[in-house]
Amino acid sequence: MQCKKCGVIVPEGAFCLRCGWKQAQQPVASTLGAIHNRWKKRKHYRELSAKGKEGYDLAWKRLCVLSEKEIQRITFDEYQGVLDNMADEGLSKSTQEKVQQLVSQLNKLGIREGLLTVNLGQELVLEGRARKESLTFEDQHIPRMIEYAKSSENRYHHAAMVTLCLIFTAYRPEEFFHIRCEDLDPAVPILVAGSKTEAGKNRMVPILSVIRPYIEKWYLSCPIRNGKREGYLVRGPKGGKKDLGNWRAREFYPMTLELGINQPNQLNQKRKVPHITPYSARHTFATLAYRADVDKEALSKMVGHLSFETTHRFYIHSELEAMRREANKIESYLAEKMPFNIETKI
């Protein structure tokens, strides 16, 4: 018989006398589609954020053209052909990168199951168009949103509050919506969240005075169970985690239109015309911090782009104070450049 791992002809038996492989270990189904189904049941996929899962699911829509092929028989050129077709369509490198990451994940599982010996995903070449430069909120947009958020009579005041929190924390929307009340300590004015990268896991961001009233309002509205507040800090209509897609479509973009932050033509042609997105808040934080001369190391830790150990939920007191001082520079910069009242009592 032929060994299913090393390929040499060996005597019939449970083990290959050449490489020691257990012949009975090969899964019954070994198509790329079957591997993909098994991978989605693994811990790596199950613990992804909703946005992370969405990215991989969209990548699979491109890769599924190979789903019926046995993973051992899929060649490098076939994987590369999927990416080349995406490049021909003008899709970005970041979009292709997600497909490459999925190929790599499925190949790793194939190797783990003894079906493959090489991860072809690591060799793929990305040639899509460069990612569009992200827009940031303009300076005048911030006081405009602060005033708008003060009154519940304004239809999208909640969207303005959330957006301001994103601007002054640098959290991605999906990270912010994942924060739970039981993870907050009212005596310590910081938020701890983040999950996309190793550097971003459980990163700490001071709660600046401009957004503190919003955080306090949401925290105090959390239900109390067993003597403490529980549940998501920002909740959906039924009390669960707020859905990012619905918030973006039904609250964020309508708010930007009402405040003149985005124009109708920008939102009617999103794929072609640059416009402000929820992710623009993160870029705005970084831009404001740079202008305010925030310490680069502190900024990296708040944004989550520096690999460092996060073995403790909170940093030592001296580091917390240093980070808070750096974050406060952003408010000082805004107050100097465009004086506005940061009192946001609601």
Side-chain angles (χ1 to χ4, degrees), residues 132-227:
K132 292 180 180 178
E133 183 178 355
S134 296
L135 298 180
T136 60
F137 287 89
E138 297 177 11
D139 289 351
Q140 65 268 26
H141 293 160
I142 295 174
R144 198 179 302 168
M145 280 191 288
I146 290 175
E147 288 299 318
Y148 189 83
K150 286 182 179 179
S151 174
S152 59
E153 294 182 1
N154 294 323
R155 184 176 180 183
Y156 304 110
H157 76 285
H158 184 271
M161 290 193 296
V162 172
T163 303
L164 288 165
C165 287
L166 298 179
I167 289 176
F168 287 101
T169 62
Y171 282 129
R172 299 172 180 89
E174 62 269 24
E175 293 172 334
F176 189 69
F177 290 162
H178 197 71
I179 296 175
R180 297 184 65 88
C181 289
E182 50 263 48
D183 295 330
L184 300 180
D185 183 348
V188 183
I190 63 172
L191 294 173
V192 180
S195 60
K196 186 174 182 180
T197 64
E198 190 62 33
K201 289 181 179 177
N202 297 327
R203 66 183 185 277
M204 178 182 68
V205 176
I207 301 175
L208 296 178
S209 57
V210 68
I211 61 171
R212 189 173 301 148
Y214 312 145
I215 304 297
E216 290 177 350
K217 177 183 178 180
W218 292 328
Y219 178 80
L220 293 175
S221 68
C222 283
I224 298 177
R225 297 187 182 91
N226 300 321

Side-chain angles (χ1 to χ4, degrees), residues 76-93:
F76 171 85
D77 288 339
E78 287 176 305
Y79 286 131
Q80 186 64 54
V82 174
L83 295 183
D84 291 346
N85 288 336
M86 295 174 68
D88 291 341
E89 294 176 23
L91 298 177
S92 67
K93 284 186 178 180

Side-chain angles (χ1 to χ4, degrees), residues 254-267:
M255 177 207 70
T256 63
L257 278 176
E258 187 156 313
L259 293 179
I261 295 172
N262 278 318
Q263 300 302 317
N265 69 305
Q266 291 177 294
L267 299 187

Side-chain angles (χ1 to χ4, degrees), residues 21-34:
W21 173 247
K22 294 180 181 180
Q23 302 300 310
Q25 277 189 346
Q26 185 178 21
V28 175
S30 57
T31 63
L32 188 67

Side-chain angles (χ1 to χ4, degrees), residues 228-242:
K228 66 177 183 179
R229 299 190 183 277
E230 296 182 351
Y232 290 103
L233 180 66
V234 181
R235 297 178 295 283
K238 297 182 179 179
K241 185 169 67 173
K242 200 166 187 67

Side-chain angles (χ1 to χ4, degrees), residues 302-313:
M302 287 185 281
V303 173
H305 278 170
L306 182 67
S307 180
F308 65 100
E309 293 294 323
T310 54
T311 54
H312 299 287
R313 181 175 178 184

Side-chain angles (χ1 to χ4, degrees), residues 204 297 301 308 315-324:
M204 178 182 68
E297 183 177 354
K301 289 181 179 181
F308 65 100
Y315 292 89
I316 57 175
H317 184 73
S318 59
E319 186 168 7
L320 171 59
E321 286 301 317
M323 191 173 289
R324 184 181 291 115

